[in-house]
Amino acid sequence: MRRRRPSLSVASTALANQAAVTKTGEPMASPGSSGRCSRTPGFPAGPLGGGGRAVPAVGLGTASLRSVGEESFRGALLAALEVGYRHIDTASVYGSERVVGEAVAGAARRGVIACREEVFVTTKVWCTQCHPDLVLPSLRESLQNLQMEYVDMYLVHWPMSVKPTKPHYPMKREDIMPMDLRGVWQAMEECHQLGLAKMIGVSNFTTKKLQELLAFAKIPPAVNQVELNPVWQQKKLMEFCKAKGIHVTAYFPLGGRHSTSTVNPVLDSDVLKEIAAAKGKSVAQISLRWIYEQGASMVTTSTKRERLKENIGIFDWQLSDEDRLKISQIPQHKTVSVLSILCPDGGRAMAVVVPEAVLRHGDARPMPAVGMGVAEYPSTPERTRDAVLAALEAGFRHFDTASLYRTEAPLGEAIAEATRRGLLASREEAFVTTKLWCTQCHPDLVLPSLRESLRNLQMEYVDLYLIHWPISVKPGPMVFPVKKEDVVPFDFGGVWRAMEECHRLGLAKAIGVSNFTTKHLDKLLAVATILPAVNQVEMNPVWQQRTVREYCAAKGIRVAAYSPLGGQNWIGEGNDVMESPVLADIARARGKSIAQVSLRWIHEQGVTPIPKSYNKERLKQNLEIFDWELTKEDRLKISQIPQKKIVTAARMFSPDGEFASMTCHVYKDE
């Protein structure tokens, strides 16, 4: 065997990498490896992460390799080491540690590697062992499986604790327990101090969870391993980790695959395909190169030698500025959530995965492609809270309320309770919209109204804050309906500047409007510094809003649809959506409900529907719209449905008069 090269500490590794970089500013080959076969550079991981070496830029993930059979799995590991991989990522729950250890030992015997120290090995503590007294025993068991004296990186797999038992997946919701993060991290620090883990870190931690951890950690996490790829770019988390000296490792760098879809959002991306064709590279290489240029390492999964080689062929070329700009504009959606590792009955994990849309204005997280409307008359706080919890269990992450609805408090309570139960990793997983009512639609009342909404919600911010209607009413208690004589001229400039102030203060991640026509939007855009991210309007197959949708698409404004299933019977008429014979025929032919056909049609228009249901079964059905499509014939039939608007200002605000008179009074300068 060759003489062993000493490992460098993280701090000295960082200095070495600073002194030995390429002209493009990229880190060179990891100084902790022999360099004989490794073809991947490395990244320093965390200035205080312990005495570990640099993290190789590309590693082999083993989460799914066990399913190919033990011999094929072992062959893939050996092939990866032979072509130059020096990072192998495993976990106690994967059941792959033993084979990983055997493969590394076998590679050393065959001379593929000089010794075990050439390979950077990561493993993780699973939720069932995420208890202060079980962390160290779990690592000792992993080391026994790996037949190693230490691992290079030991991670907390998820910020979640489950009743102690053998690692298993998926897990029952009722087994979730409060996590003693301080106690767990102290046990992780002990693993490092004993020399059993050269570095310690976390996985699937949000910025909020990292802040909580950093508040008491003596040894900060060296790494945060998260889902990251061009379709889920994690910009805020990346910025936070960079500022705190925490290295990011990407899993699902090539997109993964949903159980509910045959589409891989990364490998099937038209943007990435176009860039790959122009550069003579594969789509996978474009994705991996993009991740590398973000300063993140990654773990990929493949059993084929040619793909393994292809995945590390990303270091001798670069993306152009134009390529990076195109990738930055790819619509975002997340594959993995807490729901994906939980199930209500111990059977299959939750299969519903909701796509997300990037809002082009503001800095809100991507908006889930379907939301739950939280407005019911009459209702009680208890009924609303229970309905929201049921929606969270079903998979909803987008909730739409308003100051007028009187549901902000129970919505906030339900989200807080879901976080305590582990249904949500943190409040950040929920996308919350609220709205400014007409009586507060005055420049000096906008910010106080949002602050009151935040107190009701018990939140520090909302993801989206909307002007409910382009109408101002004399200040006073929120009432509905509003008297026509109380309507006053709407100050577009003053009200919108106050909305922009809400955004600048960080109280609203994005701001927008509701019930705005193209004419209203023209007036607003003429004075706006920050453009509205969303226009929420009545929309369904019976009121298709083509003109508004085309206008908003041209201006980069996302449309959200209320009354997607036809809405309330405001004047005693039937529901033209749910009673549509056209939709009924399509629903029968497709084996779907009329509601699902309507919601799917709205989704296919690039619009976010906000259905309202407090019924558990209907909540589930409202999410089951993403793994099938309408046919061209279906879409043609729907396009020919006679149009009829349900919600008008006349019905909302002026039961005893026509809106024309109000229009003249409020918008006389149009």
Side-chain angles (χ1 to χ4, degrees):
M1 277 190 178
R2 296 190 176 190
R3 190 176 67 175
R4 174 173 154 184
R5 303 184 76 178
S7 295
L8 303 180
S9 71
V10 172
S12 59
T13 297
L15 291 173
N17 273 26
Q18 290 170 8
V21 295
T22 66
K23 289 182 180 180
T24 59
E26 296 169 355
M28 296 181 70
S30 166
S33 68
S34 72
R36 176 177 56 171
C37 295
S38 177
R39 297 191 179 95
T40 66
F43 291 100
L48 298 175
R53 52 182 271 203
V55 180
V58 179
L60 182 70
T62 63
S64 61
L65 286 182
R66 193 177 57 148
S67 63
V68 303
E70 191 166 304
E71 287 307 311
S72 295
F73 178 20
R74 186 179 288 104
L77 288 165
L78 286 170
L81 291 166
E82 286 170 353
V83 301
Y85 284 74
R86 289 298 179 268
H87 181 190
I88 298 177
D89 180 89
T90 183
S92 58
V93 77
Y94 298 164
S96 60
E97 290 172 327
R98 179 182 59 80
V99 181
V100 167
E102 290 172 358
V104 171
R109 286 193 299 270
R110 293 169 54 179
V112 174
I113 57 174
C115 60
R116 175 263 178 266
E117 289 191 350
E118 255 190 54
V119 182
F120 189 104
V121 177
T122 296
T123 195
K124 311 177 192 78
V125 59
W126 187 239
C127 308
T128 50
Q129 273 65 49
C130 235
H131 304 273
D133 59 329
L134 297 181
V135 172
L136 180 56
S138 181
L139 176 54
R140 291 193 188 280
E141 184 175 352
S142 290
L143 291 172
Q144 187 174 359
N145 292 335
L146 289 161
Q147 292 294 295
M148 294 179 182
E149 295 179 357
Y150 69 90
V151 290
D152 297 271
M153 184 73 70
Y154 194 39
L155 305 179
V156 177
H157 209 150
W158 280 85
M160 178 190 299
S161 294
V162 173
K163 286 181 181 177
T165 183
K166 284 287 185 183
H168 65 278
Y169 165 87
M171 299 171 293
K172 296 180 180 180
R173 285 181 176 81
E174 56 265 31
D175 289 342
I176 295 172
M177 302 174 63
M179 184 180 186
D180 179 2
L181 185 57
R182 182 188 294 268
V184 167
W185 192 251
Q186 287 172 344
M188 293 289 288
E189 291 174 331
E190 183 182 4
C191 292
H192 169 68
Q193 289 156 354
L194 290 171
L196 303 179
K198 298 296 185 183
M199 289 186 279
I200 53 176
V202 296
S203 182
N204 298 297
F205 270 50
T206 63
T207 55
K208 194 167 184 178
K209 278 295 178 186
L210 287 171
Q211 286 171 333
E212 183 182 343
L213 174 59
L214 292 173
F216 53 74
K218 293 179 181 177
I219 303 174
V223 162
N224 187 17
Q225 186 180 120
V226 296
E227 179 185 1
L228 175 71
N229 53 57
V231 176
W232 188 244
Q233 298 182 13
Q234 298 265 40
K235 292 176 183 174
K236 289 185 179 179
L237 183 63
M238 291 287 288
E239 290 171 3
F240 180 90
C241 288
K242 183 178 180 180
K244 300 298 182 182
I246 300 170
H247 178 70
V248 172
T249 297
Y251 69 76
F252 277 9
L254 303 181
R257 192 179 292 277
H258 300 313
S259 61
T260 58
S261 175
T262 59
V263 174
N264 181 309
V266 172
L267 298 182
D268 295 327
S269 165
D270 290 336
V271 172
L272 299 181
K273 286 179 180 177
E274 179 186 334
I275 295 171
K279 290 202 166 296
K281 304 293 181 183
S282 69
V283 173
Q285 286 176 314
I286 299 298
S287 180
L288 297 177
R289 177 68 201 189
W290 177 85
I291 292 168
Y292 177 63
E293 291 187 6
Q294 309 313 301
S297 58
M298 64 212 81
V299 290
T300 65
T301 301
S302 181
T303 59
K304 296 181 179 178
R305 181 179 291 265
E306 284 309 308
R307 291 227 180 113
L308 288 166
K309 286 182 179 179
E310 181 183 283
N311 289 347
I312 58 174
I314 63 170
F315 302 112
D316 58 352
W317 55 277
Q318 296 181 36
L319 296 169
S320 68
D321 289 342
E322 184 181 1
D323 295 336
R324 296 184 197 100
L325 178 61
K326 289 178 180 177
I327 292 173
S328 73
Q329 296 171 339
I330 291 176
Q332 300 289 286
H333 79 253
K334 183 175 176 60
T335 299
V336 179
S337 70
V338 175
L339 281 178
S340 66
I341 64 170
L342 298 174
C343 63
D345 56 4
R348 289 184 65 229
M350 284 301 243
V352 176
V353 178
V354 179
E356 295 179 322
V358 174
L359 301 180
R360 290 178 59 182
H361 309 299
D363 58 3
R365 54 154 289 192
M367 173 191 278
V370 64
M372 176 193 182
V374 188
E376 185 179 63
Y377 305 101
S379 187
T380 64
E382 293 75 19
R383 177 171 160 80
T384 296
R385 185 167 53 248
D386 290 347
V388 172
L389 282 168
L392 285 160
E393 289 176 353
F396 278 88
R397 291 297 179 269
H398 178 182
F399 299 92
D400 183 271
T401 183
S403 55
L404 178 73
Y405 301 164
R406 308 285 197 236
T407 57
E408 291 171 329
L411 171 60
E413 290 168 8
I415 289 173
E417 175 63 21
T419 304
R420 285 192 293 271
R421 292 188 192 179
L423 289 174
L424 294 175
S426 69
R427 177 265 177 266
E428 292 176 347
E429 237 185 86
F431 188 104
V432 176
T433 299
T434 194
K435 309 181 194 78
L436 173 75
W437 186 239
C438 307
T439 49
Q440 275 65 49
C441 229
H442 304 273
D444 60 330
L445 297 182
V446 174
L447 181 56
S449 182
L450 176 54
R451 291 192 188 279
E452 183 177 355
S453 289
L454 291 173
R455 282 193 294 273
N456 293 335
L457 289 160
Q458 297 183 58
M459 294 179 181
E460 296 177 357
Y461 68 90
V462 290
D463 298 272
L464 182 62
Y465 193 39
L466 304 180
I467 297 173
H468 209 149
W469 280 82
I471 293 173
S472 293
V473 174
K474 288 179 182 178
M478 286 179 287
V479 293
F480 172 82
V482 173
K483 295 178 180 178
K484 182 167 62 175
E485 57 267 27
D486 288 342
V487 175
V488 298
F490 188 91
D491 180 356
F492 275 91
V495 169
W496 191 250
R497 281 192 293 273
M499 293 287 288
E500 291 176 333
E501 179 68 8
C502 293
H503 173 67
R504 279 190 285 267
L505 291 171
L507 304 179
K509 299 297 185 182
I511 51 177
V513 296
S514 182
N515 296 296
F516 271 48
T517 64
T518 57
K519 204 167 188 180
H520 297 137
L521 288 169
D522 278 336
K523 293 174 77 70
L524 178 59
L525 296 182
V527 298
T529 301
I530 301 170
L531 299 187
V534 167
N535 185 19
Q536 186 181 122
V537 296
E538 178 191 3
M539 181 187 158
N540 52 58
V542 177
W543 188 244
Q544 299 184 11
Q545 295 272 32
R546 294 188 184 98
T547 301
V548 168
R549 285 193 283 120
E550 289 170 4
Y551 179 100
C552 288
K555 302 295 184 182
I557 301 169
R558 179 78 178 181
V559 174
Y562 70 76
S563 293
L565 306 181
Q568 303 282 346
N569 299 329
W570 292 94
I571 57 174
E573 298 175 353
N575 185 312
D576 291 299
V577 173
M578 301 304 288
E579 297 170 10
S580 165
V582 172
L583 299 180
D585 287 345
I586 295 171
R588 276 193 297 271
R590 308 288 287 144
K592 305 294 179 183
S593 69
I594 293 175
Q596 288 173 319
V597 170
S598 180
L599 295 175
R600 177 68 202 187
W601 176 83
I602 292 169
H603 175 64
E604 290 186 8
Q605 310 314 303
V607 173
T608 301
I610 314 286
K612 194 283 298 177
S613 178
Y614 281 18
N615 179 283
K616 286 187 178 181
E617 285 307 309
R618 287 191 192 132
L619 284 167
K620 291 178 182 177
Q621 291 173 13
N622 289 347
L623 289 176
E624 293 169 350
I625 63 170
F626 300 113
D627 58 346
W628 57 279
E629 295 181 349
L630 296 168
T631 65
K632 289 183 179 179
E633 185 180 2
D634 294 336
R635 290 189 281 271
L636 177 62
K637 289 178 180 177
I638 292 173
S639 72
Q640 296 170 340
I641 292 176
Q643 298 293 284
K644 179 180 180 181
K645 183 171 176 60
I646 301 297
V647 181
T648 66
R651 294 177 181 177
M652 293 284 287
F653 298 109
S654 184
D656 58 350
E658 293 299 320
F659 184 54
S661 61
M662 187 186 295
T663 302
C664 293
H665 180 65
V666 180
Y667 305 117
K668 58 187 177 183
D669 57 338
E670 288 187 351

